[in-house]
Amino acid sequence: MKIGVDVMGSDLGPKELLKSCLRFVSENDAELVVYGNQEDLNTIDHPRIFKIPTTYVLTMDDGPLAVKRHPDASMVKAISDCAEGKNHAVVSAGSSAALLSCGVMISKMIPGIERPAFLAAIPNTLNTSTVLLDMGANSENSSDHLCQFAILGNAFAQITLNIDRPTIGLLNIGSEDKKGDLVHKDAVVKLRAMDKINFIGNVEGRDVLNGVVDVLVADGFSGNIALKTVEGTVVAFNQMIKEVIKTNRLTMIGGFLIKDELTKMKDRLNYQKYGGALLAGLNHVIIKAHGSSNEEAFYNAIRQAHKLASGGVVDKIKRDLL
Amino acid sequence: MKIGVDVMGSDLGPKELLKSCLRFVSENDAELVVYGNQEDLNTIDHPRIFKIPTTYVLTMDDGPLAVKRHPDASMVKAISDCAEGKNHAVVSAGSSAALLSCGVMISKMIPGIERPAFLAAIPNTLNTSTVLLDMGANSENSSDHLCQFAILGNAFAQITLNIDRPTIGLLNIGSEDKKGDLVHKDAVVKLRAMDKINFIGNVEGRDVLNGVVDVLVADGFSGNIALKTVEGTVVAFNQMIKEVIKTNRLTMIGGFLIKDELTKMKDRLNYQKYGGALLAGLNHVIIKAHGSSNEEAFYNAIRQAHKLASGGVVDKIKRDLL
């Protein structure tokens, strides 16, 4: 099993991500193919890391045309090699939009899946994870897309969370079946009719974090709003807790006493630590790591790619679509 | 100024809400007209509280037809009296759906506003408030609706937050103008062309709580998702903080030392305390208090109705629409 790693285009630069690569091969019995600037690649050396020097880096301004124009871009080369079987999954912390273009144009959609979706496992209050998709690859979806997302999320939960028959919910503005716009009303009817998944009904925004389902299907617009609202609320809360502790001497002592546990709690909510987002629905495992990934986060993203490719997630999805 | 108060249909029952009524008249120079069961109304007595006994309570299962069939319902009677000038604003903790039906059928939409919107001021990390609408009166909106919501939110912020020229943002899945589905792309163009409001562009879910705008316009679907996701995240956070404090003896002491400040912080985020949601876009001020309102919350809802009616919010909206 070889994982392709695009080390370009992240906020902290290739050196940080190359540290993750070295850690990965030392801790796991797998091979990596890394794509990036020759100069950066020269700084590491390991018998199970193969280096492919590239000369261009796609940015968020690079649309589908740029993908065709730059076969020498690290991201394009990594995914092209994956499509040709030279590596078995790809991880990148580069531009989401560029990765989406590369994925759709080079890896291509699985037949029966019309739209790609960004999928991630986010932490919940049960101390497990909830699979959320789509987190914003789409700005609009049909009810058929939502049913396809259910298949994608189901396969992901089975392979990465080891749940036999994951419960699946639809993010909507009320829990009754008749709630929502036409797309969501229609989706509930179709999801209830799918016997390959364990659909339990609509889920409201207030239940996103409490683990009421294993897989939460959302259209790209509301999935993105929900995810970023969680992020923003967590940031706001952390800031407010800091202010609480700073109030006076006693609260500062109080803050000192709960500090370690508080840090653990914050880490638990920091889902960027948990790896990356799967660009689901494509013929290959392509993981988008966060742009600001540090060594730990990017390491987890590589591990996730390895787990998904080893678990045969794409074949599983194809079987479920039959 | 007379405020009409429907004391029926709440979780804690009319007795709790009648306490708010008594407190309101004792602390404010205003009159109340209360609508509800004769028996309950008999339990209070105040020279500035007028009682109108009613014999039916609308529930969430009562649609538009029920509004016509039950002129004797507390909610219907309160709003009918408002439309006839017998009171000047209405507050109810009864069913949202029934209130929406009553509002649209009896008070009717302001000419130029096509859809009602639930609007509330939610707390932010700047220690001010952000006006959010629509929070879920609609499951789908056009770009014109979103522009009308901007007018409604603008007038509300001017009158209740005393901001001369409130900043207005559109809840979307990215900050650039070209982001989102067709409705949102179109709305940004239209909002930028409106010279009566101070539109500053798209706002992402992660900025809902940080006070980046005074008024956040959202379609009813994503506004509802954002609001409930904030609620859910706050609940999850409170639960996790409790667990942090319970960990061991030292953290329990730490928790004791920050307890008072922590409670203040939780109260700040509990926006249900801040009053109710305005059913915006109607010809009268109609406030939906939370179904689980206690004396304090319902008192604040009555005060908010009083402030909005005294400030002439409906006339302000009508002028802005010219």
Side-chain angles (χ1 to χ4, degrees), chain B:
Chain B
M1 174 74 52
K2 274 184 192 159
I3 309 296
V5 182
D6 166 21
V7 295
M8 305 308 291
S10 84
D11 300 348
L12 301 182
K15 286 201 175 51
E16 182 76 13
L17 307 191
L18 286 167
K19 281 194 253 168
S20 320
C21 294
L22 282 170
R23 180 175 158 201
F24 183 79
V25 287
S26 75
E27 293 182 12
N28 297 272
D29 184 26
E31 295 173 320
L32 296 182
V33 190
V34 295
Y35 301 80
N37 282 347
Q38 176 91 62
E39 209 177 294
D40 293 305
L41 300 190
N42 283 346
T43 62
I44 63 159
D45 193 36
H46 191 282
R48 278 185 284 115
I49 295 184
F50 306 94
K51 306 172 195 174
I52 309 284
T54 53
T55 53
Y56 189 81
V57 182
L58 291 180
T59 69
M60 58 175 286
D61 299 320
D62 282 324
L65 263 181
V67 175
K68 290 224 181 264
R69 269 189 210 135
H70 297 287
D72 55 326
S74 54
M75 198 186 272
V76 175
K77 182 71 181 143
I79 299 180
S80 301
D81 277 7
C82 188
E84 290 170 20
K86 293 178 186 164
N87 69 55
H88 306 100
V90 171
V91 183
S92 174
S95 151
S96 301
L99 196 67
L100 207 50
S101 297
C102 287
V104 172
M105 291 172 68
I106 305 168
S107 169
K108 297 194 168 65
M109 304 304 303
I110 295 172
I113 303 285
E114 295 166 81
R115 293 285 188 92
F118 276 121
L119 174 162
I122 62 172
N124 61 42
T125 53
L126 300 180
N127 270 324
T128 60
S129 293
T130 303
V131 176
L132 174 66
L133 80 164
D134 172 31
M135 309 189 317
N138 304 277
S139 56
E140 210 164 358
N141 289 109
S142 70
S143 57
D144 286 332
H145 298 160
L146 295 172
C147 294
Q148 293 157 16
F149 293 170
I151 300 273
L152 299 175
N154 188 59
F156 183 94
Q158 287 177 327
I159 287 171
T160 67
L161 307 180
N162 303 313
I163 304 170
D164 218 30
R165 204 166 153 70
T167 52
I168 297 185
L170 177 67
L171 184 63
N172 203 337
I173 58 173
S175 54
E176 306 94 334
D177 278 16
K178 63 178 182 181
K179 287 283 180 165
D181 57 11
L182 287 177
V183 167
H184 289 81
K185 282 179 193 163
D186 197 33
V188 169
V189 175
K190 289 178 179 170
L191 286 162
R192 287 214 181 277
M194 289 166 70
D195 53 7
K196 279 189 183 150
I197 59 162
N198 183 15
F199 180 68
I200 63 153
N202 287 324
V203 169
E204 293 187 84
R206 66 169 65 94
D207 293 321
V208 168
L209 284 191
N210 64 14
V212 73
V213 286
D214 299 315
V215 178
L216 185 53
V217 170
D219 66 276
F221 200 101
S222 46
N224 182 278
I225 297 285
L227 182 78
K228 287 183 182 163
T229 303
V230 168
E231 281 182 16
T233 309
V234 168
V235 169
F237 225 99
N238 286 337
Q239 189 186 324
M240 288 167 98
I241 284 277
K242 237 184 228 171
E243 283 164 27
V244 160
I245 289 171
K246 272 192 200 158
T247 313
N248 56 44
R249 265 192 219 175
L250 284 180
T251 57
M252 276 157 82
I253 297 169
F256 179 76
L257 293 175
I258 63 167
K259 193 179 161 207
D260 291 350
E261 292 301 318
L262 198 60
T263 304
K264 275 188 216 161
M265 167 188 149
K266 285 182 190 172
D267 281 353
R268 220 169 95 197
L269 283 176
N270 183 1
Y271 67 91
Q272 290 166 11
K273 277 207 161 180
Y274 290 67
L278 173 68
L279 189 41
L282 301 172
N283 281 300
H284 305 89
V285 171
I286 299 178
I287 298 280
K288 168 70 179 86
H290 205 273
S292 62
S293 292
N294 58 13
E295 185 264 329
E296 166 87 9
F298 200 71
Y299 169 82
N300 285 330
I302 302 175
R303 239 169 42 132
Q304 195 184 9
H306 186 246
K307 186 165 188 179
L308 283 166
S310 309
V313 70
V314 172
D315 288 337
K316 168 95 189 65
I317 292 165
K318 286 180 179 167
R319 280 198 305 276
D320 288 347
L321 283 167
L322 291 181

Side-chain angles (χ1 to χ4, degrees), chain A residues 20 23 99 251 254:
Chain A
S20 320
R23 179 175 158 202
L99 196 66
T251 57

Side-chain angles (χ1 to χ4, degrees), chain A residues 36-96:
Chain A
N37 283 347
Q38 175 92 60
E39 207 176 296
D40 293 306
L41 299 191
N42 283 346
T43 62
I44 63 160
D45 193 36
H46 191 283
R48 278 186 283 117
I49 294 184
F50 306 93
K51 306 174 195 171
I52 309 284
T54 54
T55 53
Y56 189 80
V57 182
L58 291 181
T59 69
M60 58 175 287
D61 299 320
D62 283 323
L65 264 180
V67 176
K68 290 225 182 262
R69 268 189 211 137
H70 297 286
D72 54 326
S74 54
M75 199 186 271
V76 176
K77 182 73 180 139
I79 299 180
S80 301
D81 277 7
C82 188
E84 291 169 20
K86 293 179 188 164
N87 68 55
H88 306 100
V90 171
V91 183
S92 174
S95 152
S96 300

